[in-house]
Amino acid sequence: MNVPGIRGWCPTAHRPMMSGDGLLVRIRPRSGRMTVAKARTVADLARRFGNGLIDLTSRAALQIRGVTDEVHPELLRALVAEELVDADPDIEARRNIVVTPFWIAGDLADRLARALAQRLVELPQLPAKSGIVVDTGTAPLLQDVSADFRFERDGEGGLLLRADGAERGRSIDEADAFDALNEMAAWFVQTGGGESGRMRRHVTKVSLPGNWRFAVPADGGDVWPPGCTKEGMIVGVPFGAMSVDALSGLLADADPGCVQVMPRRCLYLETARPVAHPAFIHDPSALLLDVAACPGGPRCTQATVSTRPIARQLAERGLGTLHVSGCAKGCARSGSADVTLVGRDGRFDLVRGGSVGDTADRTGLSETQVLELLR
Ligand code: SF4
């Protein structure tokens, strides 16, 4: 049986993860935004030190692929010098904050994200995958983005902090936001959250304090599709994988002022010229937007199947949400999908209406059988 090597940590630039094509070096742009000059720098560094491929993760991080042990120290020095990575490995590891897209300088999301980032070192030691979202636009947009601590607004525009998995949160003032986060993090640690691993699991075992389950978050907003907006252009990145040539070409053609890396594997090019680049998704109704597929074999050593070719074929069939995973770790999608294929021993298990961890409806299918079955 193919048992994936579940790693209880996330790669960072300081501590990259080995994959089938070399080290993965992760960059988390601050509040998800880079000037176009920084975006070009990322592309240049990926060309110089990696294998020319960049991932865009579902939590709005970038990963330079194919880095060798020999060049990693030089790449790291360059990333720190460019202020794309914090010089302190501990702070860089803790800087797992996803900010609502479309924030503007000086707004609540910007102020909160900056304030939190300055004091992360004061938080207790949390499980390595712990994350924060600052989702304080008029409507929450990041409710399906993996995180443990969620800053959101209530229906009247007030601020709240919600433990992931709880339906309601705690009303807070902006000035007290970090202290409230610190208090919730301490509660998580002191009540055995380390063993639960993630907040969502922990709140099913341990009751939150009553006044932390009171404030009702505003209704979630619509997800943003690729296309042009008044202020710029959103493009989808198929499977979150792009070559440095594609990224450089897009930036040259669209000439944006800034680039936001968005959750759900999209880029927001601010003040961009409208362009259509063949390596990106511009059509808001593109079926590929509903498809997640990890790199699979041979790029990932855990995989026993290739993933993206079959995902592309199945995408055309409009099966709804589709997740093709090279193994049971399920890196590309954390939630359920209409159809999930999980690689195991060179074949696929098929889960309908569930996720990689759910009981499969069919097991041991060849690629041909999958294509026959999912017509
Ligand atoms: S889900 Fe895919 S990328 Fe993640 S470990 Fe498994 S094969 Fe590798």
Side-chain angles (χ1 to χ4, degrees), residues 154-337:
D154 62 27
E156 275 80 53
L159 182 62
L160 63 89
L161 172 63
R162 183 168 66 86
D164 187 49
E167 286 186 8
R168 299 179 178 197
R170 170 188 184 179
S171 288
I172 57 172
D173 293 326
E174 181 184 345
D176 302 327
F178 181 82
D179 291 336
L181 173 67
N182 204 12
E183 202 178 337
M184 189 177 280
W187 171 86
F188 178 77
V189 171
Q190 287 159 11
T191 55
E195 282 165 32
S196 303
R198 301 300 301 264
M199 182 69 87
R200 177 165 283 276
R201 276 195 292 274
H202 193 53
V203 296
T204 65
K205 301 178 193 168
V206 184
S207 289
L208 286 157
N211 64 338
W212 294 5
R213 292 179 278 137
F214 193 71
V216 182
D219 291 337
D222 294 333
V223 295
W224 53 88
C228 290
T229 71
K230 258 197 310 191
E231 290 82 19
M233 182 174 67
I234 298 171
V235 299
V237 181
F239 308 127
M242 54 191 162
S243 70
V244 292
D245 289 341
L247 177 59
S248 301
L250 179 71
L251 296 177
D253 294 349
D255 192 25
C258 282
V259 178
Q260 271 194 42
V261 286
M262 300 169 74
R264 305 186 193 99
R265 301 184 176 95
C266 286
L267 296 173
Y268 176 39
L269 308 178
E270 298 178 20
T271 63
R273 278 197 296 260
V275 295
H277 191 291
F280 296 90
I281 302 172
H282 301 275
D283 177 358
S285 61
L287 295 170
L288 209 51
L289 289 167
D290 288 330
V291 180
C294 73
R299 290 201 190 285
C300 179
T301 50
Q302 307 279 328
T304 61
V305 293
S306 79
T307 49
R308 289 176 178 165
I310 192 169
R312 275 192 187 276
Q313 287 185 70
L314 291 173
E316 299 304 316
R317 300 183 183 181
L319 302 168
T321 50
L322 168 68
H323 178 192
V324 183
S325 185
C327 77
K329 193 173 170 191
C331 295
R333 187 181 175 103
S334 56
S336 63

Side-chain angles (χ1 to χ4, degrees), residues 356-368:
V356 288
D358 292 325
T359 304
D361 297 83
R362 299 285 300 268
T363 59
L365 298 168
S366 69
E367 194 169 310
T368 308

Side-chain angles (χ1 to χ4, degrees), residues 125-174:
Q125 198 66 44
L126 294 163
K129 288 179 179 287
S130 297
I132 301 164
V133 295
V134 176
D135 196 7
T136 54
T138 46
L141 294 176
L142 304 177
Q143 289 180 330
D144 64 345
V145 172
S146 171
D148 299 85
F149 306 93
R150 297 181 178 277
F151 289 97
E152 295 168 341
R153 294 211 199 227
D154 62 27
E156 275 80 53
L159 182 62
L160 63 89
L161 172 63
R162 183 168 66 86
D164 187 49
E167 286 186 8
R168 299 179 178 197
R170 170 188 184 179
S171 288
I172 57 172
D173 293 326
E174 181 184 345

Side-chain angles (χ1 to χ4, degrees), residues 96-109:
N96 200 2
I97 305 174
V98 179
V99 182
T100 188
F102 315 121
W103 61 269
I104 54 173
D107 72 6
L108 177 61

